[in-house]
Amino acid sequence: MERARFDKARMLAFGDARAIATYAVEILIVGAIYGGLAEAARLLPAINPTATLLWPPTGLALALVLLRGYRIWPAILVGTISPYFMADRSLLEFGTAGIGSLLAACAGTWLIDRWSNGRQTFATPVGVAKFAIMSCAPTAIISATIASAGFALANDLSLSDSVVAGVTWWLADAAGTLVVAPLIVLWATMPLRIPSKWKLLESIAVPALAGIVGIVAYSPLIGSDLVSTDLDVVLPHRSLLGFLVLLPLIWAGLRGDRCTVSTAAFIFVGMAVWGFSVGNDPFPKMDPNGALLSLLVLSIIVSAPPLALAAAIATRQTTEVDLLSVQDQLNGQLERKALALDNIRRHFQTLIEGVVDYAIFALDREGHVTSWNSTAQKIIGYSSEEIIGKHFGIFYRPDERRAGSPAHALETAIERGKYDVEGWRIRKNGTPFFITGSVSSSHDDAGNLIGFISILRDATERRDAEEKLVQAREQLAMSQKMEAIGKLTGGIAHDFNNLLMIIGGSAQIFTRLLDPKLPKAIEAIQTAAKRGESLTRQLLTFSRHQHLSPTVVDLNASIKNMRTMIESSLRGNIVYNENVGEGIASVKVDLAELELAIVNIAVNARDAMPSGGTFTLSVHAVTANQETGGDRRAKAFFAIALGDTGTGIPPNLLSKMFDPFFTTKEVGKGTGLGLSQVYGFAHQAGGTVTADSKVGQGTTITIYLPSCADEQTASKDLAAARAKPRQPQRQTVLVVDDSPEVADVTSSLFEHLGYETIYRDSAEAALKLLDAGTRIDLVFSDIVMPGTIDGVGLAREVRSRYPGLPIALTTGYSDAANAAPPSLKILRKPFDTEALRDFIQDLAPPRSPRSSVVPLASNTTDALRRH
């Protein structure tokens, strides 16, 4: 650490000593130059004591202080005193002259630094003018005043002589300063650079011409022995040729060469001083003050104006160079910006062309299209050549254009910055399409509107998908509602049918009694039971839970056989027309349900035509994708169209007409289940049903049923052709039902048909009875029962354990019936004696009441095979 400090101190000491030595050398050199110039300036007054020529030391002092600063004052002071030791002059005279020059130089430097940019004052015409003014006053005034005061004191001059001497020296100082200071400052401050050949030649030629003009105009050589005296005769007023110096000076000034101008002016003024010293024209010896004034004016004319012109031209050249440099920089920046802009434009175009889902286009302030991407052409149909320059209102519908919608969109975009659009637009081919997007206003940095950017998307498919989704949701809600109603219906129907079974069966038992008071009550009970049975049947059919017994029927023949039934459902003032086309084949339906559906529609048509009208039934073949709304299977259907000319159904009620319990009839005149039965029957049969209605024109309901022309047709004639069975003999039937009341009614019906019955309340109890070896000819079981085994399970167990034992099932409603095999017969509740007799006849042919079980089972199996 100590060593580092020592080295640093030694380095600083060495640096200070070197700086002091350099400064001392500089003082000596400057002092010698200044002293030599001061002594040389005194030579001419020594030769010609009557006049004081230009005093260069003041200009030199000003130049030195401008270049080296105030630190140079010792050199100036030494230079002014040094001639004292070489000439027979008083110290007071030399001292006042030196002090005057030093103070003048310092004062002039301070003013120039403050008001005229210091050493750079010759860079501008204004700076040159300021320098000229400050050289005359106060610089020259200070120097001349102090010097003349010392001279007057040293030589004991009068006041008038002192004033004259002061004015004379002021003019000399001013002229010397104007000529000498610019020359020194410019050559010291101008950068050193190697000029071109012509520039170097020009820098030499201009001072040489100025010197030649000065020699010709003012030099005492003309007319001397050195130069022919004839020229003095030829050029009696040769001093006028001095104005020719303006030509090279102006040339150098126009070239902006300030150094050359100052050098040429210095040489020319030197020649003039030479002529002034000998009293050549225009500097007569008779008028020394006038001659000196002429010299001052000449010095100002040849130094200040050309120098100002050169400064102006140099400034202009520098400005041009700077401007050219700036222009080159700007051009380079513009090129780079243009290249970047072109790249950005190319990237932007690539970007917007790569956006395949959005139409992007730009608009001017009036709404005319200025750019257009390929997606816009794909979506809207216009090419760039067709659409650019046209107003974007062409995309709007005519009514929107008349209403001013395009202008409103632009105004809103200007006001809010962005306008969200959604609606229908028109393509080039005239087709509408639904769009979503926005129109945004675009502004420059100053906030001025420059145009708009529109981004649109074709949302037609999305809108269609949303509408389909809404429809699907509505259909799902309807399906869920139908499912809920169906479950409710099934639950009600199961218990309700059991009640109807008890009522109906009991009524039939009453009919066998001989009490004459019971017939009317029995008839009322039977009527109510049948109405309840019909109501339950309609509910189950609508909910598609009704157990159907479909058979293959001839649709043509069946429709014709229904004519009487249909006409009886109508009134006399209604005309019935029937139109069944050719080629109508077979369908597989529950014929009773088909008849019920047609009768329900006919009854509704009758009620819709209180004043009469026409009811038309027509049948024709269709395909699924033509009229059924795209059914699941592509196969042939038969459309049964039933139309009336009634009052029609309003559009807001048309979607509800198949809902259960919905009716437009008065209270007590309709249950609202007729068309719901049609709906359930059509769908359960594998088809569908549609409705079309116009208020005041009528309603048409069309039932679509799948064709099954390749299956064997069953008819009522085939059923009628069966041999009427003989009266069944006494056989044993095992009745299985969880309701004792229903079991009692069922047993009584079997007993009325000649059977003996045994009752069990569960499947487990029935299997125990069979396992015990009890002789049973037929098992007749309800499907819904408590316990682990229902009726279908009981049937499986019986067929597995006792293959020859016939078994039949019955139910009012049960989902479990869907799991039953097709060969297992199911009788719907409620049923009466006739329905039970027909069911038993279809199940097995009659035989003796005490035959073995095996023959009964064998005959039953044969019967099942026939079905």
Side-chain angles (χ1 to χ4, degrees):
M1 180 66 70
E2 294 297 331
R3 181 178 180 181
R5 291 177 180 175
F6 175 75
D7 291 341
K8 184 176 181 181
R10 185 174 61 178
M11 182 177 64
L12 291 175
F14 175 77
D16 293 341
R18 184 176 182 179
I20 292 172
T22 303
Y23 179 66
V25 172
E26 182 181 12
I27 292 296
L28 293 175
I29 294 174
V30 171
I33 293 173
Y34 186 87
L37 184 61
E39 184 61 26
R42 292 185 178 275
L43 291 176
L44 290 177
I47 298 172
N48 185 11
T50 60
T52 302
L53 296 178
L54 294 178
W55 183 245
T58 302
L60 176 61
L62 179 62
L64 292 175
V65 176
L66 282 173
L67 293 173
R68 304 300 296 168
Y70 300 108
R71 61 191 291 273
I72 205 69
W73 68 268
I76 297 174
L77 188 60
V78 170
T80 57
I81 297 175
S82 60
Y84 164 77
F85 300 101
M86 296 180 291
D88 187 15
R89 298 291 178 90
S90 66
L91 180 61
L92 178 62
E93 184 178 351
F94 281 100
T96 54
I99 293 172
S101 297
L102 178 60
L103 294 177
C106 292
T109 299
W110 183 82
L111 291 173
I112 292 172
D113 286 338
R114 184 175 179 83
W115 302 108
S116 189
N117 200 22
R119 70 180 66 178
Q120 300 298 326
T121 186
F122 305 108
T124 62
V126 176
V128 172
K130 290 181 178 180
F131 171 78
I133 295 172
M134 294 176 191
S135 296
C136 295
T139 303
I141 293 176
I142 294 173
S143 176
T145 301
I146 296 175
S148 61
F151 180 75
L153 292 175
N155 295 283
D156 194 18
L157 297 178
S158 63
L159 179 61
S160 59
D161 292 338
S162 299
V163 171
V164 172
V167 172
T168 302
W169 287 6
W170 167 59
L171 295 177
D173 283 347
T177 302
L178 288 174
V179 174
V180 174
L183 177 67
I184 298 173
V185 171
L186 286 172
W187 279 105
T189 57
M190 293 297 291
L192 295 176
R193 51 190 172 186
I194 301 176
S196 64
K197 179 176 63 175
W198 296 106
K199 184 70 174 177
L200 178 61
L201 181 61
E202 181 180 296
S203 299
I204 297 173
V206 169
L209 289 175
I212 294 172
V213 172
I215 291 172
V216 173
Y218 308 116
S219 172
L221 295 176
I222 301 298
S224 66
D225 295 336
L226 296 176
V227 180
S228 176
T229 57
D230 295 336
L231 289 177
D232 202 16
V233 178
V234 178
L235 303 172
H237 303 289
R238 59 188 177 94
S239 62
L240 297 176
L241 296 178
F243 291 101
L244 293 178
V245 77
L246 295 176
L247 296 177
L249 290 176
I250 292 175
W251 172 264
L254 292 175
R255 299 288 289 174
D257 192 349
R258 291 166 291 172
C259 290
T260 301
V261 169
S262 62
T263 303
F266 178 78
I267 293 174
F268 179 78
V269 172
M271 296 298 104
V273 170
W274 189 9
F276 174 83
S277 64
V278 296
N280 286 345
D281 186 57
F283 311 112
K285 294 183 179 180
M286 293 75 72
D287 186 9
N289 291 330
L292 189 59
L293 182 61
S294 299
L295 182 61
L296 175 62
V297 172
L298 182 64
S299 301
I300 294 174
I301 290 175
V302 298
S303 61
L307 188 59
L309 176 62
I313 297 302
T315 301
R316 180 176 179 274
Q317 290 175 347
T318 303
T319 304
E320 288 179 352
V321 172
D322 293 340
L323 289 176
L324 290 175
S325 177
V326 172
Q327 183 179 6
D328 292 340
Q329 293 178 2
L330 291 177
N331 289 336
Q333 292 179 0
L334 286 176
E335 291 178 359
R336 292 191 295 271
K337 296 293 184 182
L339 180 61
L341 181 61
D342 186 62
N343 292 334
I344 292 173
R345 185 183 296 110
R346 188 179 298 109
H347 294 163
F348 177 73
Q349 191 66 27
T350 303
L351 175 63
I352 64 174
E353 292 296 335
V355 178
V356 297
D357 294 332
Y358 291 89
I360 304 176
F361 53 92
L363 308 174
D364 60 14
R365 290 182 296 178
E366 288 75 27
H368 299 93
V369 179
T370 58
S371 69
W372 191 255
N373 73 333
S374 58
T375 305
Q377 178 177 350
K378 178 181 177 182
I379 293 176
I380 306 178
Y382 294 96
S383 64
S384 299
E385 294 77 10
E386 293 173 328
I387 196 61
I388 290 180
K390 293 185 179 180
H391 199 274
F392 84 113
I394 194 174
F395 311 140
Y396 284 75
R397 301 194 309 269
D399 59 320
E400 291 179 320
R401 292 198 293 267
R402 289 191 296 270
S405 296
H408 174 69
L410 297 183
E411 291 172 359
T412 306
I414 295 174
E415 180 181 350
R416 302 178 183 175
K418 182 180 179 182
Y419 176 67
D420 295 326
V421 296
E422 181 176 291
W424 292 96
R425 296 292 184 267
I426 304 299
R427 289 190 173 95
K428 177 184 176 182
N429 57 10
T431 58
F433 67 105
F434 192 82
I435 60 96
T436 58
S438 64
V439 178
S440 302
S441 59
S442 180
H443 300 79
D444 58 15
D445 294 338
N448 300 317
L449 178 68
I450 60 177
F452 303 89
I453 299 295
S454 182
I455 303 176
L456 303 178
R457 183 177 185 181
D458 186 358
T460 307
E461 294 183 359
R462 190 197 73 183
R463 182 180 176 87
D464 294 342
E466 289 177 352
E467 292 180 350
K468 291 180 180 179
L469 179 60
V470 171
Q471 294 177 358
R473 287 175 177 172
E474 292 177 351
Q475 293 176 356
L476 177 61
M478 177 63 71
S479 175
Q480 292 174 342
K481 181 175 69 174
M482 295 299 102
E483 181 180 359
I485 294 175
K487 291 180 179 179
L488 176 62
T489 301
I492 295 173
H494 177 267
D495 293 336
F496 193 56
N497 277 331
N498 283 338
L499 298 177
L500 294 176
M501 182 69 193
I502 296 172
I503 296 173
S506 300
Q508 288 188 347
I509 295 173
F510 291 163
T511 57
R512 295 194 294 270
L513 301 179
L514 300 178
D515 190 347
K517 297 180 181 180
L518 295 177
K520 289 185 178 181
I522 294 172
E523 184 179 358
I525 292 174
Q526 289 178 329
T527 302
K530 288 186 177 295
R531 288 185 62 185
E533 178 185 356
S534 176
L535 176 62
T536 306
R537 185 177 180 183
Q538 288 176 332
L539 286 172
L540 291 174
T541 302
F542 163 75
S543 61
R544 285 179 273 176
H545 291 86
Q546 172 72 358
H547 184 78
L548 302 180
S549 299
T551 57
V552 180
V553 298
D554 185 344
L555 187 58
N556 192 351
S558 299
I559 294 294
K560 291 181 179 180
N561 292 334
M562 295 180 196
R563 186 178 186 90
T564 302
M565 180 176 56
I566 294 172
E567 289 179 341
S568 64
S569 301
L570 303 173
R571 288 191 303 272
N573 58 352
I574 298 176
V575 178
Y576 172 63
N577 293 329
E578 188 176 281
N579 180 19
V580 181
E582 297 295 331
I584 302 304
S586 304
V587 294
K588 188 173 184 179
V589 296
D590 189 317
L591 185 58
E593 293 294 327
L594 174 62
E595 293 174 351
L596 180 60
I598 293 177
V599 169
N600 283 332
I601 296 174
V603 171
N604 280 345
R606 177 197 67 192
D607 295 339
M609 297 183 289
S611 301
T614 303
F615 181 73
T616 303
L617 187 152
S618 61
V619 184
H620 58 280
V622 296
T623 55
N625 56 0
Q626 284 181 335
E627 298 189 27
T628 62
D631 196 83
R632 300 165 303 282
R633 297 166 293 174
K635 58 181 293 185
F637 279 74
F638 293 109
I640 306 174
L642 303 105
D644 62 63
T645 58
T647 57
I649 301 174
N652 61 325
L653 300 179
L654 191 61
S655 62
K656 302 179 180 180
M657 60 184 302
F658 293 112
D659 291 356
F661 306 110
F662 175 78
T663 180
T664 58
K665 300 177 184 178
E666 298 177 3
V667 178
K669 294 188 176 181
T671 62
L673 291 173
L675 293 181
S676 63
Q677 181 273 335
V678 177
Y679 178 90
F681 159 72
H683 284 80
Q684 198 166 2
T688 186
V689 60
T690 61
D692 183 25
S693 180
K694 292 183 179 179
V695 177
Q697 298 183 17
T699 303
T700 300
I701 296 176
T702 305
I703 302 174
Y704 296 91
L705 299 175
S707 173
C708 56
D710 54 343
E711 297 188 25
Q712 184 179 2
T713 302
S715 65
K716 291 184 178 181
D717 295 337
L718 181 61
R722 292 179 183 171
K724 187 174 182 180
R726 294 175 296 173
Q727 181 71 20
Q729 299 180 4
R730 304 288 290 182
Q731 299 181 13
T732 302
V733 177
L734 174 59
V735 178
V736 184
D737 201 309
D738 62 319
S739 174
E741 295 83 1
V742 176
D744 289 342
V745 173
T746 303
S747 298
S748 65
L749 295 178
F750 270 108
E751 291 171 357
H752 179 69
L753 294 176
Y755 292 90
E756 292 181 356
T757 61
I758 299 176
Y759 167 66
R760 289 294 183 270
D761 60 355
S762 65
E764 292 81 357
L767 291 175
K768 288 182 180 180
L769 180 66
L770 293 175
D771 292 342
T774 305
R775 184 182 182 278
I776 300 297
D777 297 298
L778 174 65
V779 178
F780 189 81
S781 174
D782 189 16
I783 291 180
V784 180
M785 290 185 297
T788 58
I789 304 176
D790 60 1
V792 177
L794 175 61
R796 292 195 185 97
E797 291 294 328
V798 169
R799 286 189 170 183
S800 175
R801 301 179 186 183
Y802 311 100
L805 178 61
I807 182 169
L809 301 179
T810 183
T811 184
Y813 161 77
S814 175
D815 283 334
N818 298 326
S823 60
L824 188 62
K825 294 299 182 179
I826 300 175
L827 179 62
R828 291 180 306 204
K829 294 179 183 180
F831 53 85
D832 56 10
T833 305
E834 296 298 327
L836 182 60
R837 178 186 292 113
D838 293 339
F839 180 74
I840 295 300
Q841 287 177 351
D842 289 338
L843 183 65
R847 59 187 185 83
S848 61
R850 294 300 175 186
S851 60
S852 64
V853 175
V854 176
L856 178 59
S858 175
N859 293 337
T860 302
T861 305
D862 293 339
L864 292 176
R865 287 199 187 102
R866 287 196 299 271
H867 290 281

